Amino acid sequence: MSDQTSVCELLNTFYVNIAKNIGIDSSTSNCENHPSIVKIENQMERLPDFNSNINFKHVTPSTVEKLLKESNPKKATGCDNIPPPKKKILKCAASSIFRPLTTIINKIIDTNKFPSKLKRAQVAPIFKKDDHFIMKNYRPVSILNSTSKIFENILNKQLLDHFSNIFHDFLSAFRPGYGCQTTLLRLVEDWKAALDNNKYVAAILMDLSKAFDCLPHDLLALKLRAYRLSGEACSLVFNYLTERQQMV
């Protein structure tokens, strides 16, 4: 197949259905009684400071202006058709657009509805390895709308603040100041201490196939609810995740 449109349509169909028949978990049919939900509830009961439900807070104009000025103009072009050279416009116009953008973001938080036009993503197939003519050898990367990233950064910061005292100290993924290095340093020190005390050292490594593609959104929303996010906050996250569109 050499026609570019046909190739794009084929890849798009492949990515939409990539996790359709994997990761099926019958236990998610009754998410409210899922073992992970029960475990989170038990964990939160031991944290007396987290009795109240947490709502997403309104953002200040100064925060939006700062995020606009810190936006990366080198990011790839998405569905908004703003190429990298023109992304500098967002930074240059920050002082003029930050107030109306603040109003829009706070309206989204109030209504718990994420605009449908910001739910569109352009998927870029990134070649990984082996045969160039096999679709599964291309990793899909979603390029999102430039302005939606501002909103996502705001929610991400508020969620991180909420979870900072809940996450275990050894959890290193997707946390500022943490990474593979922190995990490896801790493991090396643990292994050295074990060997110095004539103990055995063992490690269990696990990689879940298409882990993010198989994530049940219903279960995710209920987990956030168990972690004391309000019903309104969970509705906003669920609305952000659902009814999305993509193209290749």
Side-chain angles (χ1 to χ4, degrees):
M1 183 180 292
S2 59
D3 178 65
Q4 289 296 305
T5 301
S6 300
V7 171
C8 291
E9 291 290 351
L10 191 68
L11 281 168
N12 194 60
T13 302
F14 174 71
Y15 290 139
V16 167
N17 297 291
I18 198 170
K20 189 173 183 179
N21 296 317
I22 61 175
I24 302 299
D25 184 1
S26 60
S27 62
T28 59
S29 59
N30 188 6
C31 290
E32 293 185 1
N33 296 320
H34 194 273
S36 62
I37 300 295
V38 175
K39 189 168 185 177
I40 292 172
E41 291 284 3
N42 293 335
Q43 175 192 358
M44 296 304 293
E45 287 178 359
R46 297 193 293 269
L47 299 174
D49 295 336
F50 290 96
N51 290 326
S52 58
N53 293 326
I54 304 300
N55 283 302
F56 288 118
K57 301 175 183 177
H58 276 193
V59 65
T60 62
S62 59
T63 300
V64 175
E65 184 180 22
K66 180 181 178 183
L67 288 172
L68 282 168
K69 290 181 177 179
E70 292 177 350
S71 60
N72 187 351
K74 296 182 180 180
K75 291 291 185 179
T77 305
C79 294
D80 53 11
N81 292 320
I82 304 178
K86 292 185 179 180
K87 288 185 187 290
K88 294 181 180 178
I89 295 175
L90 291 177
K91 301 184 71 169
C92 296
S95 58
S96 299
I97 66 176
F98 76 93
R99 292 189 185 278
L101 187 56
T102 301
T103 302
I104 294 172
I105 291 173
N106 288 334
K107 189 69 173 178
I108 293 172
I109 293 174
D110 288 339
T111 60
N112 304 318
K113 291 184 178 180
F114 193 68
S116 57
K117 286 189 177 181
L118 296 184
K119 292 184 179 182
R120 299 172 182 172
Q122 182 166 303
V123 178
I126 308 298
F127 179 69
K128 294 187 296 184
K129 60 180 180 179
D130 300 331
D131 193 340
H132 285 76
F133 294 98
I134 298 179
M135 286 185 292
K136 69 178 182 179
N137 292 336
Y138 288 83
R139 177 169 59 93
V141 175
S142 295
I143 303 170
L144 304 177
N145 187 291
S146 299
T147 51
S148 74
K149 294 176 184 177
I150 304 295
F151 173 79
E152 290 151 19
N153 283 333
I154 290 167
L155 290 198
N156 181 55
K157 174 65 167 60
Q158 294 188 26
L159 286 173
L160 284 174
D161 289 342
H162 174 65
F163 281 100
S164 60
N165 295 320
I166 300 176
F167 284 152
H168 195 283
D169 290 338
F170 291 164
L171 181 63
S172 297
F174 309 104
R175 299 177 70 183
Y178 290 80
C180 293
Q181 295 88 342
T182 53
T183 299
L184 289 172
L185 285 170
R186 179 180 62 82
L187 288 174
V188 168
E189 292 303 316
D190 287 349
W191 293 340
K192 286 164 59 179
L195 292 172
D196 288 343
N197 290 285
N198 295 318
K199 295 181 178 180
Y200 290 104
V201 174
I204 298 176
L205 308 179
M206 180 173 62
D207 183 21
L208 301 178
S209 177
K210 308 298 181 187
F212 284 97
D213 298 314
C214 297
L215 186 64
H217 292 165
D218 291 341
L219 181 59
L220 175 62
L222 285 171
K223 283 187 176 184
L224 292 175
R225 192 77 179 94
Y227 277 122
R228 300 298 188 266
L229 262 70
S230 69
E232 292 79 9
C234 292
S235 289
L236 177 53
V237 174
F238 190 77
N239 185 269
Y240 167 80
L241 291 171
T242 53
E243 297 181 357
R244 302 190 71 91
Q245 295 178 318
Q246 71 176 48
M247 65 177 180
V248 173

